Each structure stands twice: as structure tokens, then as C-alpha cells.
Amino acid sequence: MPQLALSTVLYLLLATILWAANAIAGQLLVASISPVTLSSVRWGLAALILLPLGWRVFLPDSPLWRYRPRFLLLGLLGVGSYNVLLYLALQTSTAINVTLIGASMPIWMLLIGAIFYQVRPTFLQVIGAAVSLAGVIVVLTRGVLDSLLSMQVVMGDLFIMLATILWAFYSWMISRPGESTERQWPWAQFLMAQVMIGLFWTMLADGVEIATGFAFIDLNFWTGALIMFVAIGPSLIAYRCWGLGVNGAGPTVAAFFANLIPLFTALLSAAILGDPPRLFHGLAFLMIVGGILISALRRDPQ
């Protein structure tokens, strides 16, 4: 029987919806702000918003300092790398390539869990990964599978592949805290540590973008509103929900929910751009959800 609590499902669904909205906002911001600068501004604003709630994590007696190496790595893999690599990928790759490669996350979750955490995937998880990935392909190809044959690999594809692998490592790390007491910390302090350390890594990358002359920003009301949205929704709220969802479902099952992002992106685009959903959207939804449910099944003990 499925082992997922309703609250866990809701956390993971909200995170994927917000990240789908982030993809749309990022697409709208392409001409207004450079990719690494966008990530720096986004996380800088998120840090300022979170600071009144989480500043105590940086006090001298904070347990954060005992786990510095862990949080330097967490900040790099989560906040500090994924979004930078995603925004960079969209500069040279197509949306279909980026989303399709990102949909390989359940496979990476299974591999990383087996190799680094000695968690062997079950037969049902492998089947669920295949079914869920097939649903994503239906969305991306709009039901015309022949379009996969025309795809070409570019540098952006490599960026998003690296981002997906790093995110899989990040998800496993937050599900396996080891000796770290982070699960007993106030949620704002735990997130604050990740955001500030991730911002540090992002600003290092932004320094390279500025030094090479590729940084730019064109602020206006709508640009500012979109940046503020990605700083609050896809950043603070989504990361908090993802952490709760991973702790409740485990990184492998949680990864299947990430395959809902392209579907939610299509539905949000339809609502915003006036393009109504089609039959293949419904078929894909059933396949993706079916993959999630299959992966969450456990065999009864013999």
C-alpha cells in the first residue's frame, strides 16, 4: 500500500508547482537580467527576507559551526549550483532538451542511493521511474515521439545534466543528516544556513560573469515583481516544502514528483498564455502520477 502521508504529498506538489512557475518567470526574465546575476539577486533577496527569522544560526554558539563542511557542501549542491546551471543551460539549450534531461532525476536518485548510500532500488521503483519518465516524454514531445530524433546535444544540455546530478546528491544529503542535529533546528535557521552559504557560492560565480562582461540587468516594475516572486515562492517556500517532502517520502520517491514540473509548466503556460490543455496533457498526468504511486508501493512482508 502507498506509504505517503497526505501532508508529504502536498509539500512535494507545492514545491513542484512553484518551480514550474519559476521556469516561466525565468523565461520572461531572459532579456532583462543575465543568468548568474538573476540567481544572485534572487537568493540575496531571499536571504534578506529570511534574516529576521533565521539570523540566530550564525551566533558563535550555533551548532552550524560544528558542521561547516556539511553545510558548505549543502549550500553548493542546492542553492549555489542548481539554479545557476539551469539559467546557464537555457542560454544555449532548448526548453524540451533541458526539461527532458532534468526528468532523468529519478534515475540519478536511484543510482546515487545505490552507490553512495547502499540503498538498493526496488523493482517497483525502477518500473515507476520508467512509467513516470514516459509521461514526461509525452508532455515534451506533445504526443509526437518522432520529435525526439531531431534533438541535438549542446553545452546547455551538459549544464542541466550536471545540475540534475548535483540536486540528486543534495536531496540524499538532506535525507541523511548523519551526526548533524539540523532536524532539531528551527526551520528558518536550517534554511537560512543553506541560503547564505548558497548565496556565497552564487556570488563567486556572479563575479566571474561580471568580470567577463556578460552581466546585465534592466529593472522595471514587472521585472522587479518577477524577481521578488522567485525570491519568495520558488526559493524560500519551495525549498522548505521540498525538504519536508524529502524527509517524509525519501529522496527516491520525492524525485518522481519533480517529473510533474514540466506538466505544471505546460498548464501554467496555458493559463497565462491562453493555450488550453490538450489530451496528451491528461495522458501524461496519469502516467506521471502512476509512476509516483508505483514507486511508493511496498511489498507486504512474507
Side-chain angles (χ1 to χ4, degrees):
M1 295 295 292
Q3 303 296 312
L4 294 180
L6 178 60
S7 59
T8 297
V9 173
L10 293 177
Y11 287 138
L12 293 171
L13 284 176
L14 181 56
T16 55
I17 291 171
L18 288 171
W19 282 329
N22 178 53
I24 295 175
Q27 196 72 42
L28 294 172
L29 288 167
V30 165
S32 301
I33 185 171
S34 54
V36 187
T37 299
L38 171 58
S39 191
S40 291
V41 173
R42 166 188 178 177
W43 290 112
L45 288 172
L48 289 175
I49 295 169
L50 192 59
L51 189 60
L53 298 175
W55 63 271
R56 289 181 176 85
V57 77
F58 299 113
L59 292 175
D61 61 347
S62 169
L64 169 66
W65 308 117
R66 294 201 300 270
Y67 309 111
R68 288 191 300 272
R70 170 176 172 79
F71 276 85
L72 283 171
L73 188 55
L74 271 180
L76 175 62
L77 297 179
V79 171
S81 64
Y82 185 85
N83 291 281
V84 169
L85 290 169
L86 172 63
Y87 295 145
L88 285 172
L90 290 171
Q91 304 300 303
T92 56
S93 185
T94 63
I96 186 171
N97 282 25
V98 166
T99 316
L100 178 58
I101 295 170
S104 66
M105 188 180 296
I107 305 300
W108 293 111
M109 288 288 193
L110 295 176
L111 289 175
I112 290 170
I115 295 173
F116 294 94
Y117 292 90
Q118 291 75 54
V119 178
R120 296 181 60 183
T122 67
F123 174 75
L124 290 176
Q125 286 176 337
V126 175
I127 296 299
V131 173
S132 188
L133 183 60
V136 173
I137 293 174
V138 169
V139 173
L140 299 175
T141 61
R142 303 177 70 84
V144 183
L145 298 182
D146 290 345
S147 63
L148 290 175
L149 300 177
S150 62
M151 294 177 62
Q152 297 180 346
V153 177
V154 296
M155 184 59 69
D157 299 333
L158 301 180
F159 281 142
I160 194 61
M161 177 65 75
L162 177 59
T164 303
I165 295 172
L166 294 181
W167 184 263
F169 273 110
Y170 167 79
S171 295
W172 273 106
M173 282 189 68
I174 63 174
S175 73
R176 298 291 193 276
E179 297 180 356
S180 175
T181 60
E182 62 202 44
R183 289 189 178 179
Q184 284 73 54
W185 301 2
W187 72 268
Q189 294 184 30
F190 179 48
L191 188 55
M192 185 81 234
Q194 294 182 68
V195 168
M196 286 299 293
I197 295 172
L199 178 60
F200 164 75
W201 290 114
T202 303
M203 291 182 68
L204 290 180
D206 197 21
V208 175
E209 186 177 71
I210 294 172
T212 54
F214 288 103
F216 67 90
I217 183 169
D218 180 19
L219 281 178
N220 54 54
F221 174 79
W222 291 112
T223 298
L226 285 172
I227 293 175
M228 185 60 68
F229 165 73
V230 299
I232 297 174
S235 301
L236 299 180
I237 298 175
Y239 269 70
R240 170 61 174 163
C241 288
W242 182 258
L244 291 170
V246 169
N247 286 334
T252 301
V253 173
F256 289 94
F257 281 82
N259 281 357
L260 288 168
I261 295 176
L263 178 62
F264 287 143
T265 301
L267 295 177
L268 290 173
S269 296
I272 294 172
L273 303 177
D275 185 15
R278 300 185 182 181
L279 181 61
F280 69 85
H281 287 134
L283 173 62
F285 176 78
L286 293 177
M287 296 175 70
I288 294 171
V289 172
I292 294 172
L293 294 177
I294 291 172
S295 70
L297 292 174
R298 295 182 183 176
R299 294 180 180 177
D300 295 330
Q302 300 295 323

